Amino acid sequence: MGAGHTHKLYRHGHSPIHALPPHCKLAATFAFVLVVVSTPREAMWAFGLYALLLAAVTAVARIPAAFVLRRLLIEVPFVAFAVLMPFVAEGERVEVLGMSLSVSGLWGAWNVLAKGTLGVAASVLLASTTELRALLLGLQRLKLPPLLVQIASFMIRYGDVIGGELRRMSIARRSRGFEARGIRHWGVLAKTAGALFIRSYERGERVYLAMVSRGYSGSMPVIDDVAATRAQWAYAAVLPLAAFAVCLMGWTL
């Protein structure tokens, strides 16, 4: 699927987690998140055990805790939404620190925070131990529609190219003395967005014609497809199976 493409979330390493085939890690992460979402919100202790499981995976992968915690900041908008729920939800009210809060809102906020944080943490660990190119190969190995895989591949490859184009356009505007200081400059910014779209579209046409001239027929060649052994599938299944056991206890207790 072409040359590799590193990203800021990935942390190079030689741990057993890094060595697992990408489709094994994708399947394990999806199963873990599915189990977490299925856990009743009242089983608060279960979410603590899930966090311990992820901490164990972090230790095995030799990923610093600070590296993971910094990347959890991406869920700040969800935290803000959760904080508002006890104030705006209806139903039974309870006094907390002199504030009247909704009981259902408090449970809803806890549900969003606990499950959202665990899901984001699992995704961060997946991205920290798997290169983007390997993730795309894993999606293809899991039989995701090839068109979606190719769209994701081109988005990753050309996202930086288009970002660089936008930076050059911004530098060109500033070199000519332009600075957006109010609503009267929105027209110029809109024209910039339009020009960027046209340039991106034209680049896409050129790339497509170049691919067709080199024999592209609708699917990208896979150079180093890696099949997983039973042992690797079993190793990857440890996390979701342990989480499933915790979830069962959460429903029965």
Side-chain angles (χ1 to χ4, degrees):
M1 297 196 43
H5 187 101
T6 57
H7 59 103
K8 295 180 180 180
L9 283 177
Y10 178 69
R11 185 179 179 88
H12 181 72
H14 301 283
S15 70
I17 307 298
H18 284 80
L20 281 175
H23 47 291
C24 293
K25 289 185 278 188
L26 281 165
T29 302
F30 176 78
F32 173 79
V33 172
L34 186 62
V35 170
V36 170
V37 172
S38 302
T39 304
R41 63 187 184 183
E42 292 79 11
M44 302 178 69
W45 55 271
F47 297 102
L49 293 180
Y50 294 148
L52 290 177
L53 288 174
L54 290 180
V57 173
T58 304
V60 173
R62 305 187 187 100
I63 302 294
F67 182 88
V68 177
L69 292 175
R70 284 197 301 270
R71 281 146 183 81
L72 286 178
L73 294 177
I74 194 174
E75 68 165 343
V76 168
F78 297 97
V79 174
F81 171 75
V83 169
L84 291 175
M85 290 181 67
F87 296 95
V88 300
E90 299 180 352
E92 182 183 354
R93 315 293 292 187
V94 63
E95 290 289 332
V96 177
L97 299 177
M99 296 180 293
S100 177
L101 304 178
S102 167
V103 174
S104 62
L106 287 171
W107 278 115
W110 159 252
N111 194 49
V112 170
L113 285 175
K115 297 180 179 180
T117 301
L118 289 169
V120 172
S123 301
V124 168
L125 286 175
L126 173 64
S128 301
T129 57
T130 315
E131 293 183 344
L132 274 177
R133 175 172 172 271
L135 282 175
L136 294 173
L137 289 172
L139 292 173
Q140 184 168 322
R141 185 76 183 183
L142 293 173
K143 306 302 181 183
L144 195 75
L147 183 59
L148 293 181
V149 177
Q150 290 180 50
I151 290 174
S153 176
F154 286 121
M155 180 184 69
I156 291 168
R157 292 174 191 277
Y158 290 98
D160 291 339
V161 175
I162 295 175
E165 187 75 25
L166 181 61
R167 284 191 295 272
R168 288 191 293 272
M169 294 172 70
S170 177
I171 293 173
R173 289 199 311 268
R174 291 199 300 270
S175 68
R176 291 164 174 79
F178 173 82
E179 289 187 14
R181 296 178 177 175
I183 190 172
R184 57 196 178 95
H185 292 133
W186 285 8
V188 177
L189 298 178
K191 292 177 182 178
T192 300
L196 180 63
F197 173 79
I198 292 173
R199 292 184 185 185
S200 302
Y201 182 83
E202 292 176 344
R203 183 188 296 273
E205 288 293 313
R206 293 194 300 270
V207 170
Y208 174 73
L209 292 176
M211 292 170 58
V212 171
S213 67
R214 289 163 175 78
Y216 175 73
S217 59
S219 62
M220 299 293 287
V222 178
I223 300 174
D224 53 354
D225 190 17
V226 179
T229 64
R230 291 184 179 179
Q232 288 173 323
W233 275 112
Y235 189 75
V238 170
L239 175 65
L241 288 178
F244 182 68
V246 173
C247 181
L248 285 180
M249 290 189 293
W251 279 106
T252 55
L253 294 181

